[in-house]
Amino acid sequence: MKESFIENLNSLNEAQRLPTLHKDGALIIIAGAGSGKTRVLTYRIAYLMTQGVDSFSILALTFTNKAAREMKERISTLVGSNESKNLWMGTFHSVFARILRSESDKLGYPSNFTIYDAQDSERLIRSIIKEKGYDKELYKSKQIKNRISAFKNNLITVKTYFNDLDLQESDKISQRPKMGDLYREYVDRCFKAGAMDFDDLLLRTNELLNRFPSVLAKYQDRFKYILVDEYQDTNHSQYLIVKILSDKFQNICVVGDDAQSIYAFRGANINNILNFQKDYQDTTVYKLEQNYRSTKTIVSAANSIIKHNITKLEKNVWTNNSDGEKIIIQRLPTDSDEGRYVASSIFEIKMNMQKNNSDFAILYRTNAQSRALEDALRNRDIQYRVYGGVSFYQRKEIKDILAYLRVIVNTKDEESLKRIINYPPRGIGQTTIDKLVVSANENNLSIFETIQRAMELKVPISSSIIIKLQEFVSLIKGFIIFNEISNAFEISNEVAKKTKILIDLKSDGTPEGISKSENIEELLNGVKDFVEGQRDLADFNGTLSEFLIDVALATDFDNNKNNNQDTVSLMTIHLAKGLEFPLVYIVGMEEDLFPSPMNIDTRGGLEEERRLFYVALTRAKEQAFLTYSESRYRWGKLNSCEPSRFISEIDEQYIINSTPKDSYRSKPIINTSIFDRIPIIKKRTLSNDNLINNPSSTKLLKLRHINSLNNVTDNSNELLKKFKKGDLVEHQRFGKGKVVIIEGIGNDKKASIDFYGIGVKKLLLNFAKLKIISNA
DNA sequence: TGCACCGATGTTTTT
DNA sequence: CATCGGTGCA
């Protein structure tokens, strides 16, 4: 084992090997994009273990659970799975949720505390605002939630808030004098519900470590070596946890890249990495500057972008890789054209260069942009997977089942209880729930207790409804008993069956119902996998409460369904951090979108957007494509757009700016995609000498030919083909209107029509009863 | 109380 | 455009 590991060490370069073999003390590794920082972390942990450090004493904090899992796998191949079994690796949130779980009694929490996700928190805040009768225009639940989150991430407790006149003053100025009350009530209600939100997992950990010296000593002694990945994205709360835990041994290794700090909006403090040397005396600073991931073109282009930022650590990222292809910049008329362009381009590159779907990623600034891309990929029969967005666990039907499970584990969980008390409908309406909430708060009881004691508490509810409530209580109590003798899978199955949720959805006949029931079945499979997967782990039993913690902190990447399928990846740039793909499309390169308009008023905000662009571009190994549209649907309305300022910040020698003919903008888009008419890399063949010798570019020359073979046949009836932009039409219900745009193909062809006095409607031409009055 | 429909409203980014 | 909350009727 050891010999082969030493051999492996030789595969590291000098800059990587030095921090890898640096055993004790504080070290910071400034790692440029693609410089192999994960490798250094992995090898360093393995090295520590070969030096006699027990894996039990190592804590590694990563940014995603997926990163932790992968790293752990690699370590176990290096040193053996038995040796690495006890490593503590995971995100801040999941590691400290685990610790809190075993120490929660000290803080007055049940060990089965519920973890509220962002949606739960917001719902609770909304209902508090409503109960208190505050103006919901002034107190927007989302804003309140963000503010509370910011308080927590900066360790401003309710008490601190009320001791801080400046804070209170600033809320008064912004017309929210009740902010403090809301904050207090929210914290109170979470506590009563036995619930922690995401920020609590960090805040309460700080509380735990600061208030209980024995607990602190226990974990300080245990974690003799601490490693933190993506240190540039830690917030103040996380920073303090790391600081206090590492205080005893000071064996702390942080890895990060200030140029890739992109989470300021959730409290990430770039100063944590900039000031690391001040926090630990005798810090050794290492820099990884050689990029192994990308072509010279990508690396240089990315450098030319980040150069525009003032706040940064100096470093010089370089590569020995080949020049590679230039970055293609493509302008398009609309967002659906953008989708078609990307889909066609992927299709053709796949054909000509023997690429798999999984070699491609499409990155965007906002989740909402995925739709047009998905439509286009589906039309081309290209398999894809969208990461993030509304994740699996946030779907209504999933959250409903999970709400049952959460109540079973913790009956105080208010949000979950409200969710299921009348689902499926059992005659318990909003008024009843409101009365229960009021009574529960008056008597300092949970809603579940209040229901059971409704009579003696004299809650003004009719006896017939009380009976219904009792039935609900018995149902839940039955589940609780069942759960005591079952694993997570058995109880989940029982809930889905007994409540009839699964069967009702399945038999309602609608496609939505079917798909929902399938999702629930998938959830059940997931629980099963969880139970089976945990079996060999010593400190896990596959219980429901373990599963719920896992689920609350799971992201899309952790959902291992379809993981081995060959799909194009679609995700936001944020989610793409840490990943790499041979071919990357960055779409929506427009002002008012990227950079986000919310972030352009301050230098710091704009610089963060620029770092985001830097992250996006440096995901690409071989080639990057940037696209922007001249118009885009937003909130159902067509808006015109300008190219992003970031495009002009890229050094011109690295790009090919493909500008379509002026004429094609005005042409109606009918029957064929415009990309069947316009060769994708048209400009390349004309203007770029040094690409001619490149074997891959000769392959690309054939693209035009393939294009013509790939026209999509339009099987819609003849009449439908006649509609075009500008036509005056009449609809049975909406009256007269003008065709604004036509999109889609075949039976999917749609027309957006501006009806007089009604507005723009999008109609499926196959179904809409439309008559042409006059042609454009 | 439940359900169907309507209109208002909102989009950064996520653990 | 999609979701959500509110309203009004059975």
Side-chain angles (χ1 to χ4, degrees), chain A residues 642-742:
Chain A
E642 294 293 315
S644 169
R645 67 191 76 184
F646 292 153
I647 291 179
S648 57
E649 291 179 0
I650 313 169
D651 191 325
E652 281 187 14
Q653 57 175 305
Y654 306 117
I655 62 179
I656 296 174
N657 211 331
S658 164
T659 310
K661 280 180 194 151
D662 292 338
S663 58
Y664 94 71
R665 239 182 107 188
S666 54
K667 278 188 193 161
I669 304 156
I670 290 187
N671 195 7
T672 53
S673 155
I674 56 162
F675 304 110
D676 298 327
R677 286 184 277 119
I678 297 173
I680 289 176
I681 40 86
K682 189 177 146 167
K683 255 290 175 71
R684 171 197 303 256
T685 59
L686 301 175
S687 68
N688 215 294
D689 312 328
N690 62 356
L691 285 174
I692 298 297
N693 298 331
N694 186 318
S696 61
S697 70
T698 48
K699 279 182 196 157
L700 285 170
L701 292 179
K702 293 180 196 153
L703 292 186
R704 179 174 207 152
H705 174 63
I706 295 289
N707 260 332
S708 59
L709 293 176
N710 202 51
N711 275 339
V712 182
T713 45
D714 189 339
N715 56 356
S716 55
N717 70 46
E718 280 307 298
L719 183 71
L720 299 189
K721 292 189 182 174
K722 291 191 183 137
F723 286 95
K724 57 184 184 295
K725 191 173 158 185
D727 281 351
L728 205 57
V729 297
E730 186 164 25
H731 183 267
Q732 269 192 336
R733 238 170 74 219
F734 302 127
K736 286 178 188 167
K738 199 174 188 177
V739 178
V740 184
I741 193 167
I742 303 226

Side-chain angles (χ1 to χ4, degrees), chain A residues 247-291:
Chain A
D247 196 47
K248 181 160 180 192
F249 293 105
Q250 307 250 331
N251 290 325
I252 167 90
C253 167
V254 304
V255 186
D257 178 6
D258 60 297
Q260 294 184 66
S261 168
I262 54 175
Y263 279 96
F265 71 93
R266 71 173 205 215
N269 186 352
I270 196 166
N271 290 320
N272 290 346
I273 196 165
L274 300 177
N275 294 337
F276 184 83
Q277 293 177 69
K278 290 185 198 143
D279 285 322
Y280 298 88
Q281 340 139 326
D282 301 327
T283 299
T284 314
V285 181
Y286 295 96
K287 282 190 186 182
L288 303 181
E289 296 181 311
Q290 181 175 1
N291 177 306

Side-chain angles (χ1 to χ4, degrees), chain A residues 422-437:
Chain A
N422 198 35
Y423 178 79
R426 43 176 76 89
I428 301 169
Q430 193 57 51
T431 24
T432 307
I433 297 170
D434 289 345
K435 285 175 195 161
L436 288 170
V437 171

Side-chain angles (χ1 to χ4, degrees), chain A residues 164-183:
Chain A
D164 188 326
L165 293 176
D166 288 345
L167 276 175
Q168 293 171 59
E169 187 59 29
S170 77
D171 278 322
K172 272 194 198 115
I173 289 167
S174 55
Q175 306 229 296
R176 291 193 286 229
K178 299 290 186 194
M179 186 62 222
D181 288 338
L182 274 175
Y183 185 23

Side-chain angles (χ1 to χ4, degrees), chain A residues 73 411 555:
Chain A
E73 266 165 36
T411 56
T555 62

Side-chain angles (χ1 to χ4, degrees), chain A residues 314-338:
Chain A
E314 280 315 317
K315 65 175 160 317
N316 171 36
V317 181
W318 58 279
T319 186
N320 251 341
N321 294 344
S322 65
D323 284 347
E325 308 283 343
K326 298 213 173 189
I327 297 168
I328 308 279
I329 297 180
Q330 178 71 49
R331 175 173 91 187
L332 294 143
T334 70
D335 50 353
S336 37
D337 292 321
E338 185 179 52

